Amino acid sequence: MVGRKKKTKRPQEEDLISNLHEPLIFEILTHLPTKDAVRTSVLSTRWRYLWQSVPGLDLAICNFSNVNAFVSFVKRFLDSQESSWIRKLRLYLGYRHIICDLIPWIDAVTSRRIQHLDVDYYSGDGIPVSIYTCETLVHLRLCWCSLPNAEFVSLPCLKIMHLERVRFTSDTTLEKLISGSPVLEDLKLSCSNHKAIQVRSHKIKRIDIDMDESSEVVIDAPLLQCLRTKIASTKQFRINNLGFPAKLDIDLQLWRGRPMVKPPKKVIRDILTDIRRVRDLVITSNIWKEFSLYTKSRPVRHFRNLSRLNARFAICDLEMLPTLLQSCTKLASLTLDIFRYAYVRDEEKRQPNVMFAAVPPCLVSSLKFVELKLRIVIWEEEIMKLVSYLLKSSTILEKLRLNVRNREKEKFDYRTEVLAMTRCSSACEVIVL
């Protein structure tokens, strides 16, 4: 009788994460939503209560059956951490009209060395004045909240402040928030009830402002590196520092609940003058179309400092691309986000015809990276002509990436066609995603 072979036990895989020291595990769990951190309690007896000692709470009300369950959970957590450091509090209550008293919760965390506060709550109140004197706060994001009048603001560690759709009860509160944050580097602001916005800071590097067209904005920030905004009037927007941001993300604010109108020529002239100093530019075809119309009877403006361009173009506006590239003499990186309007315009019914009369200088001497993001499935022939032209004409191109929103078979067809195209640069890598 042949003896049965003994089954050899497979060596158990080592649980490297569980072998870490608890402070490191807490650090990992801090970066997870609380819902996922709680789920780790089923891994083993050691993990059962670890989430309760994480110095942070990241909750969305949609994860609970009702408001009472959400409120009860937050209260229990804060009570269990009564004498502990709470590093992060993120609460997402959404846009529903939910009655929830946030004041005691925010008061509690501001007294426990909170560093990261993120509240999304559509309510007429809910943010206490204790937020204005939190000495440890580094990152503040408030959305849809209402901020009370600020008598005094001292936020010595605050580096990031994002105020989205926030309502201010006083016109001076925003200015005090900025001036009371001496190390502020990143400001994002979206509001509609401010006639005058003044951003004066010697440390700020990034500004993202979406304001009402009646607002006036003054920026005095000598270290400003990146500015993102929409503009409807040069009177509305003024930069007082001696330089200009290295990166500019700009669009024309041509509509706000009324028929589209064209901006005054002075607006285009002034923006065009400033853009010529930028090294990294993000624009839409709307703004480039206005530039093209303005410069039609004038010599082509050259953006001699521009090395990175990210342009969002409607498919019907691609005919402007040759003129744009002709203007960017030292362009090294080009990203084109090509889309189709939701409502088809008359000019979009015809097939675009992108023609290069001459090879732009940047394709010969500087362009190394191209990415085309396609949000459309029509005009494939014209898109392929553009890809072919870029590959044939770019002498030092290192990478061309094509992002297509298609099924796998269609992606395979794209990949096959593109890889078969002639390339001027033998070092060029072609990627189809």
Side-chain angles (χ1 to χ4, degrees), residues 84-99:
S84 304
W85 171 38
I86 296 181
R87 192 171 75 184
K88 174 183 177 182
L89 178 66
R90 181 186 178 276
L91 300 175
Y92 179 80
L93 283 81
Y95 312 121
R96 294 175 292 176
H97 291 281
I98 297 168
I99 306 301

Side-chain angles (χ1 to χ4, degrees), residues 331-372:
L331 191 67
S333 174
L334 170 67
T335 299
L336 278 180
D337 191 344
I338 304 171
F339 69 97
R340 185 174 184 238
Y341 286 108
Y343 299 98
V344 180
R345 305 178 299 175
D346 289 339
E347 62 263 37
E348 215 182 351
K349 292 178 182 177
R350 62 177 174 77
Q351 182 168 339
N353 186 22
V354 183
M355 295 184 66
F356 288 88
V359 177
C362 64
L363 268 63
V364 178
S365 61
S366 58
L367 191 65
K368 294 184 177 181
F369 173 80
V370 173
E371 179 171 16
L372 302 180

Side-chain angles (χ1 to χ4, degrees), residues 245-258:
K247 179 173 181 178
L248 179 64
D249 183 341
I250 190 168
D251 196 5
L252 288 173
Q253 189 168 275
L254 302 180
W255 64 93
R256 276 291 167 100
R258 59 182 180 159

